[in-house]
Amino acid sequence: MTQSSNSQPSTDTIPSVNKGVALKFNPSADISFTDRIEITEKPIPALKTGQVLIKMLAAPINPSDLVYLMGKYGLPPQDGAYAGFEGAGIVVAANAGMYGRWLMGKRVAISAEPGHDGVWAQYAITRANLCLPVRKELTDAQAATLIVNPCTSVCLVDRAKALGAKAVVINAAASQVGKGIIRYAKMHNIKTIATVRSEKNVKALQALGADSVLLTTADDYQLQLKDACHTLKATVLLDAVADIDTPTVMSCMPKHSTAIVYGRLTETQHPIGGQFSVADVIFRTHKVEGFWLATYFGNAKPWQVLSLSRKVQQLFAEGIFDTDIFGEYDFHNFSQGLEHYAVNKSDGKVILHPNAVSL
């Protein structure tokens, strides 16, 4: 394992070859995640207009990365492409006008450019507008987790607030997004009903401030959920599970409720084919909508993205947001961390340090 730190801008010469974690696509569901990746090298291409080159410092594994490795994400898998949707690093080259020049030498949180190599590599190329300068208070590991989970938590709560919700239901609530929702919703006086599968997560979420924490494995789970939803007036479901969980939870919620589906856990089946209750939609006027952070960034004005970034970083600085880190790895032992995270997501993030010297 490696140690997290606040890194300074690099003065290293940029090499011509890049090392990273590439996808070995196999549609079979029976092979391990270790068998879905390989450490490879490939040339670093010239930057296109609007792009920057980042020397990577840290990159997490997210549930969306696992879904992508299985070939079930919204973006088609590219055999041989480097994986990894987000991370943090130092901008070392730019072909992106004034903003690109301003980013030079800065430590940034980045999102991978859709359809291109990801960020589980020593160097990553992405668009300049997918780079967010990060505060010095954040460690490399925290900076690397700045975009996908915290920004999603904030956007989901803001959307629930816009829908007039006084309370929300959060499934898979022990996830990093779920924990962020609980913390941020509390700031806005929105009550939270958290559902989890494991009893070990109940006390942790109660301590975090969830108003109600329910075990989905309890015999009277739906009765408890219905009582909590109507008592707290929960009219929004923040749904990371989909499949049968969407109509199950919505059937327990008041009329005119909305499900915001932002994920589908890898434990369920194919990501296309979520379910909903026709009766609830017709007779109880329930609604289902989706949220994808990439779409938000694509549609948002630059000032909106920067405002969201500042808000999230301020929450980190104040200790309201804090990504749980299970372990930090380099290329030599990354597969061990990958396999652990695949079955123990609530333990915390696994962080790859692509340029770390193996210990």
Side-chain angles (χ1 to χ4, degrees):
M1 289 190 184
T2 59
Q3 297 299 313
S4 180
S5 63
N6 286 40
S7 300
Q8 298 300 313
S10 171
T11 58
D12 297 346
T13 301
I14 300 170
S16 59
V17 175
N18 191 16
K19 182 179 181 180
V21 181
L23 169 67
K24 288 196 304 182
F25 179 62
N26 186 321
S28 172
D30 298 327
I31 65 172
S32 68
F33 282 98
T34 298
D35 291 330
R36 297 178 187 275
I37 62 170
E38 62 181 345
I39 308 300
T40 63
E41 294 185 346
K42 63 173 84 173
I44 296 177
L47 296 178
K48 297 178 181 178
T49 301
Q51 292 183 327
V52 294
L53 178 69
I54 298 100
K55 182 176 182 179
M56 294 303 299
L57 300 170
I61 303 173
N62 287 312
S64 55
D65 294 309
L66 301 181
V67 179
Y68 176 75
L69 291 177
M70 295 177 69
K72 296 181 178 181
Y73 196 64
L75 297 173
Q78 297 186 52
D79 197 35
Y82 291 151
F85 286 137
E86 74 168 336
I90 305 295
V91 178
V92 294
N95 183 18
M98 291 182 61
Y99 185 55
R101 289 193 294 273
W102 180 75
L103 287 174
M104 281 290 297
K106 287 182 170 58
R107 190 172 63 128
V108 294
I110 70 168
S111 180
E113 185 172 357
H116 294 72
D117 275 327
V119 303
W120 290 354
Q122 291 177 323
Y123 290 84
I125 293 175
T126 192
R127 297 198 306 272
N129 62 354
L130 296 177
C131 298
L132 302 175
V134 292
R135 299 166 60 131
K136 63 181 180 181
E137 296 96 332
L138 273 65
T139 66
D140 292 342
Q142 295 285 352
T145 63
L146 182 69
I147 295 179
V148 172
N149 290 331
C151 289
T152 297
S153 297
V154 169
C155 288
L156 289 173
V157 173
D158 286 350
R159 176 58 181 153
K161 189 176 180 181
L163 289 169
K166 292 180 171 29
V168 298
V169 180
I170 314 156
N171 57 18
S175 69
Q176 296 303 309
V177 172
K179 291 175 180 176
I181 290 170
I182 292 169
R183 294 184 181 107
Y184 188 60
K186 195 174 184 67
M187 293 177 58
H188 292 269
N189 297 314
I190 295 176
K191 303 292 186 182
T192 51
I193 302 168
T195 73
V196 292
R197 294 183 307 169
S198 175
E199 194 166 357
K200 71 177 184 179
N201 293 317
V202 173
K203 288 185 178 179
L205 296 187
Q206 288 173 337
L208 202 60
D211 295 281
S212 177
V213 184
L214 304 179
L215 271 175
T216 60
T217 52
D219 292 338
D220 60 345
Y221 161 64
Q222 290 191 49
L223 289 175
Q224 292 184 49
L225 180 59
K226 186 172 184 178
D227 180 65
C229 287
H230 286 264
T231 299
L232 297 178
K233 298 181 174 58
T235 55
V236 170
L237 163 64
L238 302 179
D239 185 6
V241 180
D243 197 38
I244 193 64
D245 207 54
T246 308
T248 298
V249 175
M250 294 293 284
S251 70
C252 299
M253 299 177 71
K255 290 182 178 180
H256 316 298
S257 292
T258 300
I260 305 175
V261 184
Y262 67 95
R264 177 158 178 154
L265 295 182
T266 56
E267 288 84 351
T268 61
Q269 298 176 10
H270 198 277
I272 297 175
Q275 301 185 40
F276 65 92
S277 166
V278 174
D280 282 348
V281 169
I282 294 175
F283 301 114
R284 302 180 69 223
T285 58
H286 283 176
K287 296 180 180 179
V288 179
E289 63 183 56
F291 176 82
W292 188 31
L293 191 63
T295 300
Y296 172 85
F297 280 137
N299 294 334
K301 304 294 185 184
W303 66 265
Q304 292 175 311
V305 175
L306 289 174
S307 175
L308 176 61
S309 172
R310 293 190 188 102
K311 181 188 295 185
V312 169
Q313 292 188 60
Q314 183 64 34
L315 292 170
F316 268 103
E318 294 174 358
I320 296 169
F321 277 8
D322 181 30
T323 302
D324 298 326
I325 306 295
F326 169 75
E328 305 185 39
Y329 297 79
D330 55 36
F331 283 132
H332 293 84
N333 56 12
F334 178 64
S335 61
Q336 300 171 24
L338 179 61
E339 293 294 351
H340 178 90
Y341 182 77
V343 294
N344 300 281
K345 298 178 188 67
S346 62
D347 283 357
K349 289 297 180 190
V350 164
I351 304 293
L352 169 66
H353 292 272
N355 285 288
V357 177
S358 181
L359 300 180

